[in-house]
Amino acid sequence: MSGISRIPEPRNELAKGYTAGSPERAEVVRVLDDLAGKVADVPLYIGHERVFTGQTADVTMPHAHRHVLATAHQGGAAEVEKAIAAAEAARPAWAAMDFDARAAILLKAADMLTGPWRATMNAATMLGQSKTVHQAEIEAACELADFWRFNVAFARQIMEDQPISPDGQWNRVQYRPLDGFVFAVSPFNFTAIAGNLPTAPALMGNTVVWKPAPTQMLSAHYLMELLLQAGLPPGVVNLVQGPPQEIGAAALASPMLAGLHFTGSTGTFQHLWREIGTNIHGYRQYPRIVGETGGKDFIFAHPSADVSALACAIVRGGYEYQGQKCSAASRIYVPRSLWPKLKDDVVAQIESIKMGDVRNFENFMGAVIDERAFEKITGYVKLAHASGDCEVLAGGTFDREVGWFVRPTLVETTDPKHRLMAEEIFGPVVTLYVYDDAREEDALTLCDTTAPYALTGAVFAQDRYAVERIAHRLQGTAGNFYINDKPTGAVVGQQPFGGGRASGTNDKAGSMANLLRWTSARAIKETFVPPTQYRYPYQG
Ligand code: NAD
């Protein structure tokens, strides 16, 4: 049986509103109660087995850190070796499976996610990662379903990319999986990224060892159960969690490593890259390395900017999900002529933000992810209070009693190269520098050169010449650039996501470019009537 199927046309999943009285709100509240009322026992997933090692780590609610949501069984080097063996054992059958069959699993998973699993994935993400219902919905439900549906269409586009064939021959390209396993390492902050990192290589026929972040374990657990129920064969994605150093070292030591699919901090990525370099002589192939990492994302305002839109972008872009998005607005450049019109309004908006337990739907913000993050972020807040060239205009307080709460903080600095303007904080701290209108060019140089990152950025201006000038001038400063919009909230299929410089390899998650990294092409030339004489006519 043979046929060229037509891929279902992907459409972005629409976010539900969760307004008071809506059925989706009632459902998510029911599941929130259910998940908060029990302690999940979270295993490793290796081949056909759910592995309970007996060594466990607690998964707690960031906004109520004494509340244990799950005990996650921990693995080490031995479990990684078993997971690699399981991935290797599953590889031949998975690689040989028809693409449509692999695709069907992800399309089914997407429909399960946006249907019967929606409330579970959202509730697990809300409780375990301290996301408001809106922040959970846009990614744990919508973005993840988009990744799965759009990747199927992108993969087919790759397969359709075929060479020309002159008379007498047929040239073809086969897109084979890589010759080993892919190591997927995901961050805490997006359930969607956790779902995409192992499944994008799997869609291309690879088998995977996946290490989620310890603080994302509750939603990772439900994600794995969903994928298995959708028909993902055991061994295709093997979940191993435990001490990151040990897991990482064991996975990267395997001669079968074929790729690293990483999202997380720049420091961790550089460490993993170094380790691959050290082991390079031992691999059967050159591992593909894809990493999306940190950011120091900016908003650059021009004197012609719409002040209300700018204020809204600072608040939403800077503080949604507590600023724990790689794309979060973290440094703002405002012209002196505009600042008086913006200052009081933006400060008042920030001070009005409600923060607390995400089960209270009035809150706009929850807590930061864990104690380590709390210590790091509040260190920057203390630095702002202590610096003579900084003034804390809003927020600046924090409280660790019940949850890891840091008030949304706006700092104005007169030093454009202050650490607060240069380093990734990954929390609800936004720093603003007021530049002289006449020195726009210098301000653009500062924007371009102050941080090592180049992930996201935005320009706010009504003057179209200014928009074009600034967009051109900041060409290398962001992999995702926004005009009159906040620098967060990229949508699969609409804004392929990723950055350059220290922000990553810019392989654009949710695009054809990313999937290309997980396939190894074989070109085939077939000649229909091959020559039988070695001499050429000119020799006659
Ligand atoms: P992190 O670097 O602390 O952790 C990321 C993952 O790496 C986790 O699973 C962690 O356990 C693992 N890890 C850490 N050390 C390891 C080691 N030695 N070996 C193997 N694995 C190891 O990052 P995080 O705190 O989870 O996430 C926040 C960071 O991620 C921020 O820097 C943010 O900018 C970045 N991020 C980037 C993007 C993007 O698309 N560019 C998206 C989301 C997050």
Side-chain angles (χ1 to χ4, degrees), residues 183 185-190 193 211-214 244-245 248 262-266 268 271-272 292-295 326 372 424 426 455 497 503:
F183 185 38
V185 182
S186 57
F188 77 85
N189 64 338
F190 282 96
I193 295 178
K211 197 210 92 54
Q245 290 274 356
F262 176 84
T263 300
S265 65
T266 300
T268 304
H271 168 81
L272 297 176
E292 295 302 335
T293 67
C326 50
R372 193 174 64 126
E424 185 183 52
F426 218 60
L455 193 50
F497 191 78
S503 290

Side-chain angles (χ1 to χ4, degrees), residues 56-132:
T56 58
D58 287 346
V59 181
T60 57
M61 286 189 202
H63 44 270
H65 52 53
R66 285 183 197 88
H67 186 129
V68 176
L69 287 165
T71 50
H73 289 258
Q74 305 288 293
E79 282 73 25
V80 173
E81 272 157 35
K82 284 186 194 144
I84 294 171
E88 284 300 301
R91 196 153 63 89
W94 181 245
M97 189 187 266
D98 191 52
F99 172 77
D100 286 5
R102 294 200 304 260
I105 295 169
L106 288 195
L107 294 177
K108 176 172 176 159
D111 279 12
M112 287 167 62
L113 170 61
T114 53
W117 283 73
R118 192 175 198 123
T120 301
M121 291 308 300
N122 278 336
T125 302
M126 290 171 71
L127 296 175
Q129 290 140 271
S130 204
K131 294 208 170 194
T132 62

